[in-house]
Each structure stands twice: as structure tokens, then as C-alpha cells.
């Protein structure tokens, strides 16, 4: 297995598309998105898995099978130790099935009300996967450790970035430049690892 000539980004999330465009800019492939004509008819894939890996593979495999092209996808979330590792794979739906980033963020801060800073340790986790039309898959996992701060700050990023303070930094993920974030983020690390797996095969 090696780099295929064309790969579909199996997501309709504009934030992820932009981020992956940067992170995977050095992959020797031609990228397609689900908005491209060649991806017409791609199914909507529900994240019904219990784990990050299940969700990532659900999305990548469904798109690869439907379009006959390799597809990459990821699933990620935030894990807060004071919440028993939650919200985890349900991070995007923490405040409800159709919750916005702002609603999820407020729900997280409410759940941590009264928890001191020392008890707010957390990590972002990402599982990145590539699926091929024949059924072969590869995946990689990575984390970014940090803590949840009590008040949002920063204008960049998305999701829980405004309240996530990465280990070794004194500003939230939402305050980092794209280059800084991609270097340390769970998604950046996971997709660089996935690239390594493809290059090694």
C-alpha cells in the first residue's frame, strides 16, 4: 500500500477541510472534497460508532465504497478527567444532537463549575483513518494534552479551542496561529502519523 493518486476528504465540516488542507499539504496526492463533481452521490454518514475509530472508519469506508476512491476521515473529541474522560466521542453533541460549538462549550464549562484548575486536566484525541475501495484500512491515533480554563479566549480555531490550554503554552488553542496549532494538535499529529504509515507500506 502506498499513496494513491487521488483521495477524498470524507467530511463536510468546513473547519476540518481547511485544517486538513494545511496539515496534509505535503501529501503527494490530488485531493477531492465531497463538494466536487466526482463526489456527487456520496452518502451522508451518521456517526453511530461508540469509539473514535469506529466513527472514523464508518465515514471513510462508506465514502470509499460509494465513490470507488480512497477516502480519509477522522473522529476527534475532548476528554476531561473530571468528567470520567467525557464527553469523548460525543464531544460534538455534548449539549444535544444539533448543538453549536458555543452551546457545547457552555455545557462543558457548566459541567466543570466548581472544579479547581488542578482538576481540569484534559486532552484532545483524534483517530485518523484511510479506507480503500477494496476494504483495506489504515489508522493512526494521537492526543494533545492540556487543561480546561474557566473563561473562553482567542478568536481562532473551533470546537473547544477557546477553553483548551495546551500543555506548555500560556494561551488557549484558539489563540495560536494555524502553524502553531497544526504542529501540536491532536489532528496534526494523527494525520502526520497516518502519512507515515502510508509512506512506509
Amino acid at each position: 500500500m502506498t499513496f494513491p493518486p487521488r483521495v477524498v476528504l470524507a467530511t463536510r465540516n468546513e473547519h476540518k477541510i481547511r485544517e486538513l488542507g494545511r496539515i496534509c499539504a505535503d501529501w503527494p496526492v490530488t485531493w477531492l472534497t465531497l463538494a466536487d463533481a466526482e463526489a456527487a452521490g456520496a452518502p451522508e454518514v451518521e456517526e453511530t460508532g461508540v469509539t473514535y475509530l469506529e466513527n472514523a472508519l464508518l465515514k471513510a469506508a462508506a465514502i470509499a465504497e460509494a465513490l470507488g476512491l480512497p477516502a480519509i476521515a477522522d473522529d476527534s473529541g475532548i476528554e476531561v478527567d473530571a468528567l470520567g474522560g467525557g464527553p469523548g466521542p460525543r464531544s460534538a453533541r455534548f449539549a444535544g444532537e444539533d448543538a453549536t460549538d458555543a452551546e457545547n462549550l457552555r455545557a462543558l464549562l457548566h459541567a466543570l463549575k466548581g472544579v479547581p484548575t488542578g482538576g481540569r486536566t484534559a486532552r484532545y484525541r483524534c483517530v485518523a483513518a484511510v479506507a480503500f475501495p477494496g476494504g483495506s484500512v489504515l489508522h493512526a491515533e494521537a492526543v494533545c494534552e492540556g487543561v480546561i480554563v474557566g473563561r473562553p479566549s482567542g478568536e481562532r480555531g473551533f470546537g473547544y479551542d477557546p477553553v483548551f490550554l495546551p500543555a506548555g503554552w500560556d494561551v488557549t488553542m484558539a489563540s495560536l496561529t494555524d502553524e502553531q496549532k497544526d504542529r501540536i494538535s491532536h489532528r496534526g499529529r494523527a494525520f502526520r502519523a497516518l502519512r507515515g504509515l502510508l509512506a512506509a507500506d
Side-chain angles (χ1 to χ4, degrees):
M1 200 177 298
T2 186
F3 290 102
R6 296 187 298 166
V7 180
V8 182
L9 291 174
T11 182
R12 290 182 169 85
N13 183 315
E14 291 297 327
H15 292 297
K16 281 191 182 182
I17 290 171
R18 285 195 296 272
E19 206 165 87
L20 291 175
R22 299 191 309 265
I23 292 167
C24 302
D26 66 342
W27 287 38
V29 304
T30 297
W31 294 105
L32 300 174
T33 73
L34 297 179
D36 290 326
E38 290 171 89
E44 292 280 352
V45 184
E46 288 191 40
E47 295 183 353
T48 56
V50 176
T51 66
Y52 302 110
L53 178 58
E54 288 175 357
N55 283 328
L57 289 178
L58 273 172
K59 292 181 282 188
I63 298 301
E65 181 180 354
L67 302 181
L69 291 167
I72 64 167
D74 79 286
D75 193 36
S76 60
I78 198 160
E79 301 170 352
V80 184
D81 293 325
L83 302 180
R90 289 197 54 81
S91 292
R93 300 174 292 281
F94 189 45
E97 284 302 315
D98 298 311
T100 64
D101 283 354
E103 289 167 341
N104 284 326
L105 196 150
R106 283 196 297 270
L108 181 67
L109 292 181
H110 180 74
L112 290 174
K113 193 173 182 180
V115 178
T117 303
R120 290 169 170 251
T121 51
R123 70 210 45 81
Y124 269 127
R125 187 179 302 274
C126 176
V127 173
V130 57
F132 294 82
S136 299
V137 298
L138 287 172
H139 63 87
E141 180 174 332
V143 299
C144 178
E145 297 285 346
V147 297
I148 304 299
V149 296
R151 185 174 299 174
S153 67
E155 301 297 325
R156 307 171 72 89
F158 59 101
Y160 297 92
D161 288 356
V163 295
F164 184 78
L165 186 73
W169 293 79
D170 57 6
V171 294
T172 67
M173 193 79 98
S175 299
L176 301 180
T177 65
D178 291 342
E179 182 183 23
Q180 289 170 330
K181 180 183 177 180
D182 295 345
R183 188 168 69 246
I184 67 168
S185 77
H186 52 309
R187 186 168 290 112
R189 289 169 171 167
F191 275 93
R192 285 191 293 274
L194 184 63
R195 188 194 194 286
L197 292 176
L198 280 166
D201 276 1

